[in-house]
Amino acid sequence: NEPFRLRVFQVATRSANVNVNQVEFGKLHVKIPSDDEQFRIIDGLENLDAYLDDLSRGQTKLQNIKTGLMQDLLTVRVRVGVDTIDSTVDT
């Protein structure tokens, strides 16, 4: 929130780093969302977390499939025929 950031810089001391002492920082007013909005935020974050878990499980599954296919190809359990290679590739 830009107004809050500006208020912080107004009470900050400046040198190589910007510092705000606890007394001045404690005087700043912070807007807190209503309980209803906080619950909506929590619900949204939980849904996002579940979505990311699903994506991670999907990625793991695909990595396992890739590893299995590579092992099959490298151990010649599965052969790749010449007719399956794209004819547009120059050899």
Side-chain angles (χ1 to χ4, degrees):
N1 188 346
E2 191 61 25
F4 180 78
R5 183 176 184 273
L6 291 174
R7 290 194 311 254
V8 168
F9 279 112
Q10 287 172 350
V11 298
T13 58
R14 288 173 180 81
S15 60
N17 296 316
V18 176
N19 299 303
V20 179
N21 69 44
Q22 288 181 335
V23 173
E24 291 299 323
F25 193 76
K27 293 178 186 177
L28 296 173
H29 297 280
V30 178
K31 292 182 181 180
I32 298 174
S34 67
D35 288 348
D36 185 51
E37 187 173 359
Q38 289 180 44
F39 287 123
R40 287 195 317 264
I41 292 169
I42 290 168
D43 188 46
L45 290 173
E46 286 173 345
N47 289 337
L48 181 60
D49 199 32
Y51 175 70
L52 292 174
D53 285 343
D54 288 344
L55 287 178
S56 180
R57 280 191 295 275
Q59 180 184 17
T60 300
K61 183 177 178 179
L62 290 173
Q63 285 174 331
N64 289 338
I65 290 170
K66 176 186 173 190
T67 299
L69 289 171
M70 289 178 67
Q71 287 174 350
D72 286 347
L73 289 170
L74 292 172
T75 59
V76 195
R77 279 185 281 210
V78 175
R79 295 185 62 89
V80 177
V82 176
D83 58 331
T84 60
I85 298 175
D86 186 6
S87 61
T88 61
V89 177
D90 294 328
T91 54

